[in-house]
Amino acid sequence: MTSIRTLAPETLWGFFDTICSIPHPSGHEAALRSWISNWANGQGLPVLQDEVGNLIIKKPASPGMENRKGVVLQAHLDMVPQANAGTEHDFTQDPIRPRIDGDWVCASGTTLGADNGIGMAACLAVLADQTLIHGPLEVLLTVDEESGMTGAFGLQPGWLEGEILLNTDSEQDGDVYMGCAGGVDANIALPYQAEPVPAGYQAFQLTISGLRGGHSGINIHEGRASANKLLAELMHQVTEHTDARLASLNGGTLRNAIAREATALLVVPASDSERLQELLVTYQQHYAAEFAGVDDFIRLELNAAELPDRVMSRVMQQKLTRAMLACPHGVMAMSRDMPEVTQTSTNLGVIETRDDHVHVQCLIRSLNNAGRDRVAAMTAAVFELAGASVAFDGAYPGWQPNPDSPIMKLVLDTHHEVFGALPAVKVIHAGLECGLLGNVYPHWDMVSFGPTIQGAHSPDERVNITAVARFWQLLIRVLEQTPERVS
């Protein structure tokens, strides 16, 4: 147990503390799912688990509320596993250790898992509290949202009876969401063409670190630096101005997180080592000026390394560095209808040298399929020209806004009633599961809201304590006012 259990609302924070104590990165949700199932069974609540591992927990209506529309409270079970360099943490074995820092809860050197652990904790707190007033309730906890939306893809019709979906995966207090972007994953593989290490060469590891990283949808418009794109630029300059040979490139760990760190193992002749150092000094200064106020702690380091067994052929080296340099990354278009909203973006998320290939992963997001498919075609063209194979998978639709949504109106009115002000109505440039879930249950009326979470998908992740209390107030008041069924 940690000190966060003393925070209000205590039931919600108590559940979140338990969630943090049970490892649950994407693909490893079984232990947490088992704990929740056992807890719900102990409460006498019916629990279902579908074929892909989603949990559905049902709670009957409060006395006198049986005729209200059924509500589905939804969150996802998994979290993004990200740790700072030098932080030893096995996300499949080690608990997250939350701590209070002023009006925030954060972790030490790792992601916190408030995305979407706070939403999940709120769902469980609603199930646990027998004093709350509500109609028929179902809690849907999906698996693998962060790495592939497997749970949302695998959800089958007929399992859920509700008519309203309250998604808890939004991350800004005072905002209510009525739409989100769709996306697709690009999986790229370039065969490793090897040559012997030239005689008389020295090995160095170039490291880019200190970047903020962040969520590849929510933060992509802020102009944060991508370690992978900086590495591409550096490698292009290094190979143009020295006789350096690349042995391997690695950067980023998740396709949905802006890369914070990247490395290159390279060999250079002794005569070029000084020039290599000069290039790094030049670009350290360049990046400090370019990203001032956005990414202020970028570090370029060069350290001696052991000679590798092989290097890339010159032809492969040139094709790879140019393809990475040309790979689309960042905001591609802003919405015409909502000028402050990103329409289409793409993230050069992961570069990894393994299995005789250099593998690259990108996540392309867009509010519409046309924008998504256009950037996918651009990405494929760049890498196919370099001789790589490109495959797309995991395509999911966006959630189209419904300005006439009754549940949206209820949330807006309730927010005004509770807090004295209307929230901002927004469309989020992130992959909420609502688009996929709405395809399976097209009759659902959907809305998404949550507390303020900053730095999601990075070790800087933190959740605002005051905003969690406000989120809970809004949630329970909305449940109290759920409309009656239409007979």
Side-chain angles (χ1 to χ4, degrees):
M1 299 198 327
T2 71
S3 61
I4 68 169
R5 288 180 176 266
T6 64
L7 300 172
E10 289 187 7
T11 304
L12 188 157
W13 284 107
F15 277 116
F16 183 63
D17 193 41
T18 299
I19 290 166
C20 289
S21 73
I22 304 171
H24 57 284
S26 301
H28 299 272
E29 304 97 325
L32 179 57
R33 180 174 55 222
S34 177
W35 185 90
I36 293 172
S37 296
N38 291 336
W39 172 82
N41 284 324
Q43 301 295 307
L45 301 172
V47 180
L48 302 172
Q49 181 176 319
D50 67 14
E51 292 182 357
V52 295
N54 298 320
L55 275 187
I56 298 167
I57 307 169
K58 303 196 177 192
K59 184 182 181 183
S62 305
M65 297 286 285
E66 294 85 356
N67 65 336
R68 301 300 179 102
K69 289 184 177 181
V71 171
V72 179
L73 291 177
Q74 193 260 322
H76 60 80
L77 284 159
D78 59 320
M79 65 170 287
V80 168
Q82 288 272 282
N84 283 325
T87 299
E88 294 186 6
H89 190 94
D90 183 346
F91 283 92
T92 67
Q93 300 292 328
D94 301 335
I96 301 296
R97 301 196 181 279
R99 58 185 177 86
I100 299 172
D101 183 7
D103 196 31
W104 299 86
V105 170
C106 56
S108 297
T110 72
T111 38
L112 173 65
D115 172 16
N116 184 217
I118 285 290
M120 188 180 357
C123 294
L124 298 177
V126 168
L127 293 176
D129 194 333
Q130 299 304 315
T131 69
L132 299 183
I133 299 171
H134 55 75
L137 283 178
E138 296 165 299
V139 167
L140 171 62
L141 303 177
T142 52
V143 296
D144 196 33
E145 188 270 350
E146 298 290 6
S147 64
M149 293 198 176
T150 303
F153 272 110
L155 185 66
Q156 297 298 311
W159 283 70
L160 293 146
E161 300 171 347
E163 300 176 59
I164 295 168
L165 178 78
L166 303 181
N167 172 276
T168 64
D169 199 15
S170 297
E171 298 174 357
Q172 182 59 55
D173 177 41
D175 291 351
V176 177
Y177 291 89
M178 65 173 182
C180 71
V184 67
D185 295 334
N187 301 292
I188 300 151
L190 182 66
Y192 195 113
Q193 299 169 0
E195 291 182 355
V197 177
Y201 276 52
Q202 301 171 325
F204 294 93
Q205 177 157 297
L206 188 155
T207 302
I208 302 173
S209 62
L211 284 70
R212 294 175 67 191
H215 192 293
S216 71
I218 294 171
N219 302 122
I220 199 71
H221 68 286
E222 297 174 9
R224 299 184 183 187
S226 160
N228 287 339
K229 288 300 286 186
L230 298 191
L231 183 65
E233 181 177 26
L234 273 174
M235 287 304 94
H236 179 70
Q237 292 297 322
V238 165
T239 55
E240 285 288 309
H241 293 94
T242 73
D243 197 31
R245 304 295 301 277
L246 293 177
S248 64
L249 296 173
N250 293 281
T253 58
L254 295 167
R255 93 270 189 261
N256 60 354
I258 301 169
R260 297 179 297 111
E261 297 168 352
T263 63
L265 179 60
L266 51 103
V267 299
V268 297
S271 59
D272 277 344
S273 60
E274 185 175 341
R275 177 60 177 146
L276 181 61
Q277 294 279 6
E278 291 172 352
L279 280 170
L280 259 65
V281 171
T282 297
Y283 275 86
Q284 176 76 71
Q285 296 170 346
H286 172 70
Y287 294 144
E290 181 179 359
F291 294 102
V294 179
D295 258 304
D296 290 317
F297 303 103
I298 298 173
R299 295 191 302 274
L300 307 183
E301 297 178 273
L302 193 67
N303 294 299
E306 292 185 10
L307 280 173
D309 296 329
R310 61 182 184 174
V311 294
M312 299 176 191
S313 70
R314 291 185 184 277
V315 171
M316 179 197 175
Q317 177 174 298
Q318 184 183 65
K319 287 182 176 180
L320 175 62
T321 54
R322 291 185 177 182
M324 287 173 48
L325 192 63
C327 177
H329 173 84
V331 174
M332 307 302 292
M334 300 298 289
S335 170
R336 293 191 184 95
D337 298 325
M338 297 166 285
E340 75 285 358
V341 174
T342 303
Q343 173 86 14
T344 305
S345 74
T346 181
N347 180 52
L348 178 57
V350 180
I351 302 167
E352 188 177 11
T353 304
R354 59 176 172 82
D355 303 331
D356 291 323
H357 286 79
V358 176
H359 298 268
V360 177
Q361 281 189 304
C362 302
L363 174 54
I364 301 159
R365 303 178 189 266
S366 185
L367 298 181
N368 59 43
N369 291 345
R372 179 194 69 191
D373 295 345
R374 183 177 300 114
V375 178
M378 293 167 60
T379 304
V382 166
F383 282 99
E384 286 172 351
L385 284 170
S389 63
V390 182
F392 295 95
D393 64 19
Y396 56 93
W399 167 26
Q400 294 302 313
N402 174 17
D404 299 319
S405 161
I407 188 59
M408 173 63 73
K409 184 178 186 305
L410 174 60
V411 172
L412 295 180
D413 291 345
T414 304
H415 192 283
H416 187 270
E417 170 197 329
V418 174
F419 302 120
L422 286 171
V425 179
K426 293 189 174 182
V427 174
I428 190 171
H429 192 66
L432 298 178
E433 294 166 286
C434 298
L436 282 169
L437 300 177
N439 274 357
V440 182
Y441 292 89
H443 66 285
W444 277 355
D445 190 13
M446 302 187 291
V447 68
S448 179
F449 56 95
T452 299
I453 298 171
Q454 295 180 349
H457 297 192
S458 83
D460 297 326
E461 182 183 8
R462 60 182 189 164
V463 60
N464 185 263
I465 296 168
T466 300
V468 170
R470 287 167 55 89
F471 164 58
W472 177 250
Q473 284 181 273
L474 179 61
L475 175 61
I476 61 176
R477 185 63 179 137
V478 167
L479 292 176
E480 289 176 2
Q481 299 188 90
T482 304
E484 294 183 1
R485 291 194 186 99
V486 177
S487 56

